[in-house]
Every structure is written in C-alpha cells, then in structure tokens.
Amino acid sequence: GDLHKSLDAAVAACGAGEPTGPKCWAVVDAAAAPAQALQKVLSAGGQLGVVIVAQSGPVSQMAVLRAMEYSEVYVAAVELGAGANEVLRAAASYAGGPSVVLLAAPAAVRGDAQWTAFTYDPRREDAEGASAFQAHGTEVRKEIQAFLSRESLLTLVAKRSLPADSAEGAGEGDDLTQGLADASKTVTILYTSDTGHAEECAKAVARQCRNGGYATSAVRCGTLDSFDVGALASESLVVFCVATAGKGEFPGNGRGFWEKLNARVGDVSLAGTKYAMFGLGDSHYWGKGTEDSRINFAKPARDLDAVLEQLGGQRLIPTGYGD
Ligand SMILES: Cc1cc2nc3c(=O)[nH]c(=O)nc-3n(C[C@H](O)[C@H](O)[C@H](O)COP(=O)(O)O)c2cc1C
C-alpha cells in the first residue's frame, strides 16, 4: 500500500478507496499519544495500516490493547529487528480490517519486564480455530492478561449458553434427536445503532459465540428492523445490543421493530425464548445526575427489556449497560 504523511491523510485516502484494496499506511510517534486518534481510525474500520513507533521507554501498550478490543483488526507489538519484517508483512496482508503495529526500538524496551511482544491475528481464529493472540515471550503484562481472560470468559459464557442436550450430543451421529438438538443450537444477535457502537458490540458477541462452539451458520447477526417480529417467539436465544438516539429513542434501524413489538403485546408469548440485553447510552448526554438523564439513559434498552419480560421472555443473564 501507500505510506501517507499523517494519520488523517491515510484515513482520507483509505475512505475514498476500495475497502478491499491495499492498505493506506501511516507512521505515528508513540510519544504523540496515539490512543485517541487510533480509536477514531478503528471505529472507522477500513483498510488502514498504522505503525506506532516507540523510540524511548517506558513504552505504553495501551493503544494496542485498546485496538484488540475491535473484533476485526490485526494488532502486534514487536521490537525492531526481532521478526518485525514478518509482522509487518502479516499486517499488510490482513484484509479483514485495519492493522495496528507497535514497533519499539530495542533500547526502548530493554530491561522492561512489562513489555510484551505479541501478535493478534483474527485469521488464526477463522482458519485454525486457534487463539488470535500469541505472545512471543513468556511474560505477558497484566493489562493484556486481563484482556485475554475477559475474552476467554466471554467464550465460556457462549459455551455455557448452548442448550445442554445439544452440547452433550455433539458428534453422536445424525439421528433425529441429534438433528433436532442441532436445530435448536442457534443464536440470533440483534442490534440497533446509529453510529456503530452497538453494531460493533453485536459483532463482537457473534464472534465470541462462534469461538464458543456455535457453528458459523448458527450465529445470525443483524439490525432489529431486519428481523421479523413474528419470528421472535420461535427463537431459542436472542442477544440484543441496543443504543440510544434522540432523547431516549431507538436508533433509526430499530424503530420499526419496536413499534411492531408493541402492537403485539397481549397476543404473543416469549416463554420459549431466552434473551440477553446490552444497552448503550451516555449518562452525560442530558446532564449527569439530572432527572432527564435518569429518564433517558439507555431508555430503549430498558424499555425493550421490560416488554420482553412482560411477554414471558427469560433473561439469560442480568442486563448490562455501556455508559
Ligand atoms: C444524537 C444523540 C442522542 C443521544 N441521546 C441519548 C439519550 O437520550 N440517552 C442516552 O443514554 N444516550 C444517548 N446518546 C448516546 C448514545 O446512545 C451512545 O453514544 C451510544 O454509544 C451510541 O451507540 P451507536 O453508535 O450504536 O448508535 C445519544 C447520542 C447521540 C449522538
């Protein structure tokens, strides 16, 4: 790909290009606090490549840690010379989304017990079912360890939410019982989102479900409005990621679903449906601590949660919120 003069220039060039084309690269200085700029880049997605160069210690790995939280991104931290070429080649060939490489001068990390050289390549999960994360040494700094244990916790949750009989029956041949069990081993993840955060959450949940043992085709992920309200009762497990727009309103791609669901209250039972709700909002949006904030914080998620409960839906885990 091309090397651009600044991150903004690379974002601009990439935004205009084909999403599948070669990467637009930018090199940024670790001393220039790249975390915030990076956040913008990562939420924009696309075929961006960012190399963060750290010339002096101590080297913060916070930016690359944050980067790993986006599902489709190649992330690495490596010392110049210690296999850096190979890492950069892998970063350049990653077509699933942006690539972020922290490149440290050997002197900057020499003697730094916290420094963790690693690669995080989602292709490992897709192709080999392996962990996307690989540390290159034996020491993994505690922030990264915490990230990894959270990831595996999510995978564990996904595994445990599989219907018990189908999980046990896996690999027992294709008799009718097995077929029926497999048919119930699906999860539907529905989101409503104006600026992409809830969508990002939903996709992360979908990825974790696949890592946790669901077949790829058994994990469906789409907007609330793309989903037929009438089919809700026949779903065994639905995960909702619901953002807030306007003043406590559903985002644009969820309003239709919400209206239709309300029209059916009274003549639909969700007794056979397990669900989990994650609500996104901003408690500062209408003034932290105010009555307006109390009423409107993550209101659509809370409203939908209440209606699902009223219709007999079984809450799988306590409702979570992202403020
Ligand atoms: C125009 C606008 C209005 C918002 N109104 C609210 C609100 O009333 N209550 C709330 O909790 N959050 C509100 N938020 C915050 C969003 O819900 C929050 O930023 C969320 O992460 C956005 O998710 P999305 O990117 O999936 O749309 C608002 C955000 C915007 C941009």
Side-chain angles (χ1 to χ4, degrees):
D2 294 329
L3 180 61
H4 294 268
K5 286 206 178 80
S6 69
L7 203 52
D8 286 342
V11 173
C14 237
E18 282 289 302
T20 52
K23 281 199 157 45
C24 310
W25 288 94
V27 178
V28 299
D29 191 336
Q36 212 167 2
L38 211 57
Q39 197 83 1
K40 240 183 269 171
V41 166
L42 289 164
S43 41
Q47 282 299 297
L48 211 84
V50 181
V51 179
I52 305 167
V53 177
Q55 275 164 327
S56 57
V59 178
S60 163
Q61 293 188 268
M62 206 39 94
V64 281
L65 183 59
R66 287 271 163 272
M68 279 196 289
E69 293 180 346
Y70 289 77
S71 41
E72 298 300 329
V73 56
Y74 178 96
V75 189
V78 66
E79 282 169 58
L80 199 60
N85 284 349
E86 195 191 322
V87 166
L88 287 170
R89 257 196 298 275
S93 70
Y94 180 66
S99 294
V100 180
V101 178
L102 174 61
L103 200 58
V109 294
R110 191 168 297 135
D112 181 349
Q114 289 284 295
W115 167 255
T116 305
F118 70 86
T119 52
Y120 177 88
D121 188 341
R123 287 171 296 195
R124 287 192 196 114
E125 284 179 348
D126 300 340
E128 305 146 35
S131 167
F133 182 90
Q134 262 174 26
H136 292 176
T138 46
E139 296 295 317
V140 175
R141 72 193 303 158
K142 63 178 190 309
E143 293 88 350
I144 292 176
Q145 256 162 13
F147 167 80
L148 293 171
S149 53
R150 188 153 46 88
E151 282 273 295
S152 46
L153 180 69
L154 286 167
T155 302
L156 197 67
V157 169
K159 279 201 176 109
R160 290 186 54 177
S161 66
L162 288 173
D165 47 358
S166 67
E168 281 160 19
E172 276 182 8
D174 56 355
D175 57 16
L176 180 64
T177 320
Q178 181 61 35
L180 288 172
D182 282 345
S184 70
K185 211 172 92 173
T186 63
V187 57
T188 299
I189 300 142
L190 300 176
Y191 62 87
T192 175
S193 174
D194 270 346
T195 53
H197 292 115
E199 178 177 357
E200 194 81 40
C201 288
K203 287 180 174 166
V205 172
R207 185 170 56 98
Q208 289 295 335
C209 286
R210 291 188 183 113
N211 290 345
Y214 283 90
T216 303
S217 61
V219 180
R220 283 162 300 169
C221 182
T223 65
L224 274 182
D225 278 0
S226 72
F227 188 80
D228 173 17
V229 173
L232 199 57
S234 50
E235 293 292 325
S236 55
L237 178 59
V238 188
V239 178
F240 295 92
C241 299
V242 176
T244 314
K247 195 164 188 178
E249 285 156 35
F250 275 78
N253 52 16
R255 279 172 208 161
F257 176 93
W258 177 236
E259 278 166 24
K260 286 181 201 145
L261 184 66
N262 276 290
R264 283 171 180 260
V265 170
D267 53 48
V268 67
S269 164
L270 299 180
T273 303
K274 287 190 179 129
Y275 75 93
M277 177 72 61
F278 184 65
L280 292 83
D282 181 353
S283 62
H284 288 260
Y285 206 83
W286 297 102
K288 181 88 181 160
T290 64
E291 180 70 359
D292 257 359
S293 172
R294 196 186 62 74
I295 293 168
N296 295 300
F297 174 68
K299 187 172 184 294
R302 290 185 292 116
D303 288 350
L304 178 56
D305 201 7
V307 167
L308 293 171
E309 184 177 45
Q310 189 189 339
L311 296 176
Q314 303 161 55
R315 202 179 286 111
L316 182 71
I317 46 172
T319 292
Y321 297 98
D323 186 354

